[in-house]
Amino acid sequence: RRTRRRAIVPGMPRWSQLAAIYALLGIAAGAVAMFWRGTPWAHPEPWLRLSPAAAHLYSALLGLTVGLGVAMSTRPLVARFEWARRLSDELRPVARQMSTAGIVAVALLSAAGEELLFRSVVQPAAGLWIQALLFGLAHQLPGRARWVWVSWAAVMGLVLGAMFQLTGSLLGPV
C-alpha cells in the first residue's frame, strides 16, 4: 500500500514547497556571497583570467556541454549498469508525482539555490574538494541507491566546481 507524504503547507503541492525552499536557499546564499565577496556570480580566484563576458560565455558553453553529456549518457548508463538502474528506479517515482511545471520549477530553483550555496559560498571558503564532498553528502536519499546518488552528486559537484573555478563564472554550473 502506497502512502502519500503530507505537504508541509496543507493544500500546497509538495513540489511547490520544495521549489520555495530552493528559492529561499538561493536568496540566502546569494546574500551571503554578496556580503562576503561582493558578488555571488564570480569566483574570487579563477584559474583563467578572462573578461567577465568571456568568462560567462565559456562557462555557459561548458555548462551546456556537460549538461547535454549527462542527459545523453543517462539511457545508456541505465541500460548497461546495475547501479544506474537502481538509481533510476528510486528517482523515477519522485519525478512521476510532479507535473511538467513542477519539474521545471524545481530544476531551475534547485540549480540556482544549490550552485549559489555550494559553489559561490562553500567553495571559496573551503575549497573545490570539500564543497564537492559536502554537495554529495547533501544529496542523501532513502533506499538502496543512497550511496550511488551521493557518489554521483559528489562527482558532479567536483565537475561543476572545477567549471566555476576554471572560468570564474557561476553561469555554467547553474
Side-chain angles (χ1 to χ4, degrees), residues 59-94:
S59 183
L61 290 173
L62 276 172
L64 290 171
T65 302
V66 168
L68 186 59
V70 169
M72 299 279 293
S73 67
T74 299
R75 283 189 191 268
L77 288 172
V78 169
R80 184 172 178 144
F81 297 106
E82 178 61 28
W83 62 265
R85 274 189 295 282
R86 281 196 325 253
L87 184 57
S88 176
D89 289 345
E90 290 188 22
L91 293 175
R92 188 177 300 117
V94 175

Side-chain angles (χ1 to χ4, degrees), residues 25-48:
L25 174 69
I27 290 167
V32 167
M34 286 290 291
F35 178 75
W36 177 37
R37 294 194 343 264
T39 177
W41 297 103
H43 194 284
E45 298 175 7
W47 292 332
L48 297 176

Side-chain angles (χ1 to χ4, degrees), residues 5 82-91 133-155:
R5 291 184 179 173
E82 178 61 28
W83 62 265
R85 274 189 295 282
R86 281 196 325 253
L87 184 57
S88 176
D89 289 345
E90 290 188 22
L91 293 175
L133 177 65
L134 294 173
F135 185 70
L137 291 172
H139 285 81
Q140 292 277 333
L141 61 88
R144 298 178 314 143
R146 168 178 292 174
W147 296 110
V148 172
W149 187 235
V150 167
S151 300
W152 178 258
V155 168

Side-chain angles (χ1 to χ4, degrees), residues 5-21:
R5 291 184 179 173
R6 278 196 216 138
I8 297 167
V9 178
M12 187 176 191
R14 277 187 58 77
W15 70 261
S16 60
Q17 293 175 39
L18 185 59
I21 290 167

